[in-house]
Amino acid sequence: MAAWRDAPELPDFSLLKRLARDQLIFLLEQLPGKKDLFIDADLMSPLDRIANVTILKQHEVDKLYKVELKPIVSSSDQLCFLIRPRIQTVKWISDLVNADKVAGRFRRYKIIFTPQKFYACETVLEEQGVYGDVTTDEWNFYILPLDDDILSLELPEFFRDNFLEGDQRWVTTAGSALHLLQSVYGSFSKVYGIGRCAKMVYESWRELMEEGEQRTRQPEFAKVFLVDRDVDFVTPLCSQVVYEGLVDDLFRIKCGSVEFGPDVTSSDKSIKVMLNSQDKVFSEIRNEHFSNVFGFLSQKAKNLQTAYDKRRGMDIQQMKAFVSDELKGLKQEHRLLSLHIGASESMMKKKTKQDFQELLKTEHSLLEGFEIRECITYIEEHINRQVSMIDSLRLLCLLSITENGLLSKDYRSLKAQYLQSYGIKHLLTFANLRQLGLLEEQQAGETLTVMESKVGKLVNDKTVGKLTDAFSSLAKKSNFRALSKRLALVPKSGEEYDLRVPRDMAYVFSGAYIPLSCKLIEQVLERDGWTGLEEVTRMLNGQEFAVTEARNKTDAQRIVLVMFLGGCTFSEISALRFLGKERGCRFIVVTTAITNSARLLEALLDNHA
């Protein structure tokens, strides 16, 4: 289906970078003179996108250090700390100040908390007796534009803090991010949301709105959709097969850039590459299913060669024009092309192996609810061969969610095998997964039916095994299965699916599954609310809302801001881009961080595991 009209223009998000940079410079200048700057490790990459070393040097930053929570070597009389509001870091700073006091050394100290300071941090400064020696400030750096349509709060800890620990301190941060977007790009007319956290973020944003002055400017996007990560755990647990998602799974995209090692660069050094729409090669393949990428790249290489070959038979004037107008662009494209070809080859080696095909087949069976026994056997082999700790955990979670919990005997057996294979230290990890509903044991009484026990007495043991499996899946109510049916998330098996010409969002998982989060967004936008989706929201534990803030009929109605609380995957971003093309609208994704199965599960490993 072709886009029914041209997609609207996206707002210019570079403005957010300028605002963040100006505020940071203002804060640095409040400590006049030369100073050393200590930066939290996870702020290094985002800071580099906002204000690089040159800019910092222009504002009298002498030396830069990474916060390492150990004694420092700085000889400067002024120390500035740019940190996340973490108690451990504040304690470390207090120790430095106290050590200086003991040594009779006088310096000036400034702590800049970003995106905001928490009361707990100030309490630590008081308890350690350094509150009067340190000045504190906030750098309200809420949003980093990673690309034309991706904005990130760069807060990976949001997921664990909010969903596992029940620590809601980041809710106000997410509300402030929305408020910033609204004050720069105009008011929202409609807000939809689902999930407990989404509701709280909405309320936090409303409070900020009521406090601030109202500006009536033409909005650049009108609809906002807030969605909690725990509404859909299946999507981030699936292997990614669109190009950008695969690059993230294999090489880890960090803050919009990736480091390709020697296996990709075919030289002895690694290269850091920015991955965004400025990279002409990448922007054309990022949303493609991996099976199409190689053909596209080789066609591109041929076209490039043709462009180079134009030089033959040129006279001097033409040659001069060619060198000044085209050559630089061709060389740049050539460099990027060879990198993406290298990355694709590296992926092919890893991903076309028998193992990966088997893995995908198992995932697809779990999503469809077929051959569950074979899937369990596959997972057991995976665990016992110690293929990958995270992958084994991911498959266990996928099995549990799609089957609505594991039968007691399976749960105990798989858990015991996992702990034997990867270490008893993961006992706490299992408790965390259970708490989030990612890996659960079915409670007694959920599985046996009267019918089943009667049948059991009639038939000999061997067939009972098979029948019990068949009946137990009938007897229990599985929300994923029911949701999947209700929203048609899993296309009928046996249907041909052409990945070159995708017909729906399922292409991001090889035609096997439409991301639940994206399907919800599609349905709600289509209905302009939750009417008709009552059964779905009941199965998702409700907490849905739709609020009309203002009425405005503009092109902005066709730009939808989707905020994922707890992380969003590149597969979901690709699916939304596809949906936007079909609908003639554009999606802007705001996320607390980019996630994938590895990041999601690593956040839930027990801290000591």
Side-chain angles (χ1 to χ4, degrees):
M1 175 178 144
W4 51 284
R5 50 180 163 157
D6 288 342
E9 281 294 302
L10 286 172
D12 172 17
F13 292 119
S14 63
L15 196 58
L16 297 171
K17 282 190 194 175
R18 287 212 299 282
L19 285 171
R21 181 167 56 231
D22 292 350
Q23 198 202 356
L24 179 64
I25 288 168
F26 174 71
L27 293 172
L28 288 172
E29 285 181 343
Q30 287 187 337
L31 195 62
K34 275 194 184 302
K35 52 202 155 275
D36 282 357
L37 181 61
F38 290 80
I39 307 168
D40 251 340
D42 55 352
L43 282 172
M44 292 275 204
S45 298
L47 179 65
D48 198 38
R49 302 278 304 257
I50 298 293
N52 56 25
V53 179
T54 320
I55 291 172
L56 296 174
K57 295 268 186 205
Q58 281 165 4
H59 298 278
E60 298 191 277
V61 169
D62 190 21
K63 291 193 179 72
L64 288 169
Y65 296 96
K66 188 156 76 176
V67 167
E68 294 187 292
L69 305 185
K70 57 187 194 200
I72 62 167
V73 292
S74 167
S75 57
S76 175
D77 291 334
Q78 302 203 95
L79 304 182
C80 190
F81 301 90
L82 183 61
I83 61 167
R84 291 277 188 220
R86 293 184 187 122
I87 286 173
Q88 194 187 9
T89 323
V90 178
K91 274 195 175 141
W92 168 73
I93 295 171
S94 306
D95 291 346
L96 293 180
V97 177
N98 282 325
D100 278 353
K101 277 186 191 171
V102 171
R105 161 138 215 194
F106 174 78
R107 311 196 216 216
R108 290 178 69 190
Y109 312 94
K110 182 180 182 70
I111 302 177
I112 301 174
F113 291 104
T114 184
Q116 66 205 78
K117 64 181 166 199
F118 291 132
Y119 174 67
C121 296
E122 298 195 298
T123 313
V124 171
L125 293 171
E126 273 181 37
E127 284 166 0
Q128 303 291 319
V130 298
Y131 191 74
D133 304 289
V134 179
T135 52
T136 61
D137 236 314
E138 287 182 324
W139 179 34
N140 306 130
F141 168 42
Y142 295 116
I143 304 175
L144 177 68
L146 294 178
D147 207 344
D148 299 346
D149 59 352
I150 310 173
L151 309 172
S152 173
L153 278 69
E154 289 299 299
L155 285 176
E157 61 259 59
F158 188 104
F159 173 64
R160 184 182 170 113
D161 284 356
N162 189 76
F163 295 102
L164 183 69
E165 315 281 356
D167 179 343
Q168 288 146 7
R169 60 191 178 149
W170 298 115
V171 165
T172 50
T173 313
S176 303
L178 276 180
H179 188 241
L180 171 67
L181 285 168
Q182 193 201 16
S183 49
V184 177
Y185 299 101
S187 55
F188 311 140
S189 57
K190 260 276 162 81
V191 184
Y192 313 97
I194 183 158
R196 187 160 159 260
C197 184
K199 210 160 199 166
M200 285 158 65
V201 168
Y202 170 72
E203 279 156 14
S204 157
W205 165 70
R206 284 291 320 166
E207 271 173 36
L208 287 167
M209 278 264 302
E210 280 151 25
E211 286 165 22
E213 78 277 16
Q214 301 300 321
R215 288 199 201 107
T216 48
R217 52 161 297 187
Q218 206 49 18
E220 297 195 44
F221 35 76
K223 291 180 179 170
V224 179
F225 200 111
L226 306 175
V227 60
D228 279 13
R229 184 67 278 168
D230 66 353
V231 165
D232 170 18
F233 276 138
V234 170
T235 301
L237 288 171
C238 293
S239 294
Q240 304 199 72
V241 285
V242 289
Y243 183 73
E244 190 164 13
L246 255 177
V247 171
D248 189 37
D249 279 359
L250 284 178
F251 303 102
R252 286 236 171 175
I253 297 175
K254 202 171 141 197
C255 209
S257 71
V258 69
E259 195 161 313
F260 286 136
D263 57 328
V264 171
T265 60
S266 46
S267 67
D268 50 3
K269 55 179 192 288
S270 297
I271 293 181
K272 206 171 174 188
V273 188
M274 288 295 290
L275 293 179
N276 56 31
S277 46
Q278 261 51 67
D279 175 340
K280 292 290 172 273
V281 179
F282 176 69
S283 65
E284 292 188 61
I285 55 175
R286 66 193 312 178
N287 304 309
E288 287 290 324
H289 186 275
F290 184 60
S291 57
N292 304 333
V293 169
F294 231 64
F296 173 83
L297 290 174
S298 55
Q299 186 52 51
K300 193 97 179 146
K302 281 181 195 144
N303 298 351
L304 203 60
Q305 194 53 54
T306 314
Y308 269 129
D309 290 344
K310 279 201 323 206
R311 293 176 299 182
R312 295 202 184 120
M314 281 185 179
D315 60 32
I316 291 203
Q317 272 317 101
Q318 290 167 320
M319 195 62 156
K320 220 168 155 183
F322 175 78
V323 170
S324 64
D325 302 342
E326 290 180 57
L327 194 61
K328 196 174 169 210
L330 289 175
K331 280 191 166 159
Q332 169 72 345
E333 203 170 320
H334 188 204
R335 190 182 73 84
L336 293 168
L337 188 62
S338 61
L339 275 176
H340 290 299
I341 289 174
S344 301
E345 281 171 342
S346 178
M347 289 176 190
M348 293 286 263
K349 283 190 196 113
K350 291 174 186 147
K351 295 297 186 190
T352 45
K353 280 197 199 130
Q354 188 62 31
D355 288 359
F356 188 59
Q357 298 309 321
E358 285 291 308
L359 182 72
L360 286 182
K361 189 173 155 238
T362 304
E363 282 180 29
H364 295 172
S365 299
L366 290 173
L367 292 166
E368 289 175 25
F370 285 153
E371 302 179 332
I372 297 303
R373 278 288 131 211
E374 280 89 333
C375 291
I376 291 176
T377 309
Y378 174 84
I379 296 170
E380 284 177 328
E381 276 175 21
H382 209 274
I383 292 171
N384 297 329
R385 280 170 42 218
Q386 294 185 323
V387 179
S388 142
M389 179 184 88
I390 289 287
D391 258 351
S392 299
L393 208 51
R394 179 168 78 77
L395 290 167
L396 285 174
C397 293
L398 210 48
L399 170 69
S400 172
I401 298 177
T402 52
E403 288 294 295
N404 208 29
L406 305 182
L407 299 174
S408 284
K409 65 177 175 45
D410 289 333
Y411 180 81
R412 286 175 195 154
S413 151
L414 287 163
K415 181 177 173 182
Q417 290 177 63
Y418 190 91
L419 295 173
Q420 276 168 350
S421 220
Y422 301 110
I424 200 79
K425 59 177 184 277
H426 288 292
L427 259 173
L428 286 165
T429 301
F430 274 82
N432 291 345
L433 294 170
R434 191 171 199 154
Q435 192 182 322
L436 272 182
L438 277 164
L439 185 51
E440 292 186 292
E441 178 181 2
Q442 282 169 14
Q443 297 315 303
E446 278 187 334
T447 48
L448 277 173
T449 59
V450 185
M451 176 69 173
E452 184 183 346
S453 44
K454 277 186 185 158
V455 172
K457 291 192 181 72
L458 298 173
V459 199
N460 68 32
D461 285 351
K462 203 167 181 185
T463 36
V464 164
K466 288 210 170 103
L467 274 168
T468 309
D469 276 345
F471 274 103
S472 66
S473 55
L474 286 176
K476 59 180 188 285
K477 285 273 173 278
S478 160
N479 282 358
F480 176 75
R481 293 269 168 269
L483 281 166
S484 177
K485 218 182 185 124
R486 186 83 182 67
L487 293 168
L489 299 179
V490 177
K492 292 184 181 67
S493 60
E495 283 186 15
E496 273 303 302
Y497 198 99
D498 185 353
L499 291 165
R500 283 189 305 271
V501 194
R503 61 165 180 261
D504 55 24
M505 292 184 282
Y507 90 94
V508 301
F509 291 118
S510 305
Y513 163 69
I514 294 173
L516 168 58
S517 53
C518 302
K519 188 72 174 182
L520 276 177
I521 292 164
E522 176 197 53
Q523 291 292 310
V524 170
L525 290 175
E526 209 165 85
R527 299 156 193 267
D528 192 19
W530 295 94
T531 317
L533 295 169
E534 290 80 6
E535 196 187 330
V536 169
T537 55
R538 201 184 65 249
M539 289 189 271
L540 291 167
N541 304 324
Q543 304 275 354
E544 77 285 356
F545 58 93
V547 191
T548 303
E549 294 289 340
R551 301 232 171 262
N552 49 21
K553 278 272 166 269
T554 61
D555 214 29
Q557 291 291 353
R558 296 195 294 130
I559 297 183
V560 184
L561 193 77
V562 180
M563 187 180 221
F564 284 89
L565 298 156
C568 158
T569 64
F570 283 118
S571 301
E572 286 164 309
I573 295 172
S574 291
L576 289 174
R577 283 178 181 145
F578 176 84
L579 183 63
K581 261 195 198 120
E582 285 223 308
R583 304 267 152 137
C585 66
R586 292 293 288 268
F587 287 95
I588 295 163
V589 170
V590 184
T591 178
T592 49
I594 295 289
T595 193
N596 60 15
S597 57
R599 289 191 192 100
L600 184 87
L601 292 170
E602 280 161 10
L604 300 175
L605 290 178
D606 178 63
N607 281 340
H608 309 292

